[in-house]
Amino acid sequence: MAADIVGERIEQLRRRYGAGLMILGHFYQRDSVIKHADRVGDSLELARAAADSSALRIVLCGVRFMAESACILAGPERSVYMPDAGAGCPMAAMADPDQVERAWRDLGGDAAGFLPVVYVNSSAAVKALCGRWGGSTCTSSNARRVFEWVFSQGRRVFFLPDEHLGINTAEDMGLRRSETAVYDPRREGGGLARADLDRARVVVWKGFCVVHMAFTADLVMAVRRAHPEAKIIVHPETPSDVVRLCDAHGSTSQIVRYVEEAPDGSLIVVGTEQHLVERLAEKWRGRKTVKALAGSVCANMARTTPEALLALLERWPESLRVTVDPGAAADARLALNRMLALAK
Ligand code: 13P
Ligand code: SF4
């Protein structure tokens, strides 16, 4: 079917379902999907939109952890669907619940003064552990706020699954490297020496996002040499040695705002997923120049196509419905709600 016919058909169905349907789109989605979304945002904004929505059907154009969070927050009377049920997040898959339970024991858990802070890029089962252990989820836009909440209770942070967001947040708060430690789930005891663990105020899980690992110090230095006037901003899933060479770092919404607030005539080089960078470049063409630090696509985000969205809206197959075990959902909701209350 031609692209304009697919788009027109999606719009007809949106009109037919009216307020009973809410389509949420993450910034990394392709434009041909985003144009059909009722709300576009970062992962925090999408979670909030799902929690506040009264629509009976929510369609999440993003990846599975976002749809699971929407499902947990929207409650059992609303149904959440994904146009492509196979769109996962490889980083979320790097923390398996059994490994996380083992790590909690290795670290000494609550008795050793830890509280878990779980990045929303994680499975519902891992969020449930976090809720049960008294912790909070976070996104890249409020990780610092959640770390402050832990420190205000005189506790230490066990952060997972992204090493880089954890280290960047600790460094933003002025912690020294010796106050952080990396837990490697593939190694006995996380590969941590007793002395390093005792000193650590923040222990981070050794996980990463392949999309943001593409942004290197060499690329930043090359931009600095070629365009000394450029401002460079990256997402905090980028390793901290690269982040420290840049002018700014922030969540996808914060990147959108950074570009918006830059003066006309500026050159802004952005290190995040390519669909967002291309959209920003297009939006500001003629006023500001937006370039990608490197072309880096999230293959999972890209699985959602207009054709898949149309097929979902036409048939609502049960295979595309996202469900979370009710027990896990109740515990995970505790962790998500703590974040939403902190990030008000
Ligand atoms: P944001 O929370 O910044 O939208 O990031 C989500 C994500 O998956 C980044 O890779
Ligand atoms: Fe996961 Fe990275 Fe894709 Fe974000 S960009 S959804 S962290 S793989």
Side-chain angles (χ1 to χ4, degrees):
M1 210 188 292
D4 51 344
I5 300 177
V6 173
E8 184 39 45
R9 186 80 190 111
I10 292 172
E11 285 308 302
Q12 277 169 10
L13 290 166
R14 282 184 69 205
R15 284 193 291 277
R16 185 201 296 170
Y17 292 116
L21 167 67
M22 178 172 239
I23 301 181
L24 302 175
H26 187 266
F27 283 126
Y28 291 166
Q29 291 290 297
R30 58 183 89 227
D31 283 347
S32 53
V33 169
I34 281 292
K35 70 179 187 191
H36 301 296
D38 297 292
R39 292 284 298 277
V40 181
D42 69 3
S43 45
L44 178 63
E45 291 160 347
L46 298 186
R48 278 222 182 87
D52 296 344
S53 170
S54 54
L56 285 178
R57 283 173 170 152
I58 297 173
V59 173
L60 200 305
C61 300
V63 290
R64 178 160 291 271
F65 75 79
M66 296 175 178
E68 283 183 350
S69 295
C71 175
I72 293 163
L73 290 166
E77 52 295 336
R78 280 176 257 290
S79 308
V80 176
Y81 293 84
M82 292 175 76
D84 186 315
C89 167
M91 181 210 280
M94 288 176 194
D96 151 276
D98 291 339
Q99 287 178 321
V100 174
E101 291 203 75
R102 200 192 65 194
W104 189 242
R105 283 194 301 275
D106 286 345
L107 299 183
D110 190 49
F114 282 102
L115 266 180
V117 176
V118 168
Y119 192 25
V120 289
N121 300 42
S122 55
S123 66
V126 168
K127 289 185 183 77
L129 291 174
C130 177
R132 229 174 283 154
W133 295 334
S136 171
T137 59
C138 75
T139 72
S140 54
S141 62
N142 59 27
R144 182 177 179 148
R145 180 74 202 86
V146 179
F147 278 29
E148 282 165 356
W149 169 76
V150 173
F151 292 152
S152 73
Q153 301 171 64
R155 310 293 288 269
R156 313 198 267 167
V157 170
F158 172 39
F159 179 77
L160 61 150
D162 185 26
E163 171 182 348
H164 305 295
L165 177 61
I167 294 291
N168 282 318
T169 306
E171 288 185 350
D172 289 347
M173 296 174 76
L175 268 73
R176 292 183 299 273
R177 259 305 160 100
S178 58
E179 295 177 288
T180 65
V182 180
Y183 182 96
D184 182 347
R186 290 163 296 272
R187 295 179 60 191
E188 189 66 33
L192 277 173
R194 190 77 247 166
D196 293 337
L197 176 56
D198 289 346
R199 254 199 315 267
R201 296 181 66 203
V202 172
V203 174
V204 299
W205 189 267
K206 199 171 177 53
F208 61 89
C209 162
V210 71
V211 177
H212 291 88
M213 294 304 281
F215 308 123
T216 62
D218 285 350
L219 287 169
V220 174
M221 296 319 288
V223 171
R224 291 279 188 232
R225 277 193 301 276
H227 307 283
E229 77 290 5
K231 293 289 181 200
I232 309 178
I233 181 166
V234 291
H235 193 279
E237 288 173 9
T238 306
S240 93
D241 58 325
V242 183
V243 165
R244 299 304 145 198
L245 298 173
C246 298
D247 298 288
H249 56 281
S251 74
T252 51
S253 279
Q254 289 160 344
I255 291 173
V256 169
R257 269 201 302 280
Y258 187 84
V259 173
E260 226 163 66
E261 287 165 10
D264 281 2
S266 346
L267 165 61
I268 309 119
V269 176
V270 180
T272 198
E273 208 275 345
Q274 197 170 317
H275 287 93
L276 173 56
V277 185
E278 284 171 359
R279 186 172 316 115
L280 288 170
E282 191 51 43
K283 175 169 179 193
W284 294 103
R285 192 175 305 285
R287 283 183 62 186
K288 318 175 188 186
T289 308
V290 178
K291 282 187 189 307
L293 184 54
S296 192
V297 171
C298 176
N300 280 281
M301 285 281 182
R303 288 177 69 130
T304 300
T305 59
E307 288 74 16
L309 176 59
L310 176 58
L312 167 61
L313 300 183
E314 280 176 334
R315 293 190 283 276
W316 300 105
E318 208 41 35
S319 59
L320 297 180
R321 184 158 171 205
V322 178
T323 55
V324 177
D325 163 77
D331 288 340
R333 194 175 302 117
L334 294 172
L336 284 162
N337 280 337
R338 282 186 195 114
M339 169 185 78
L340 294 178
L342 285 166
K344 268 201 173 109

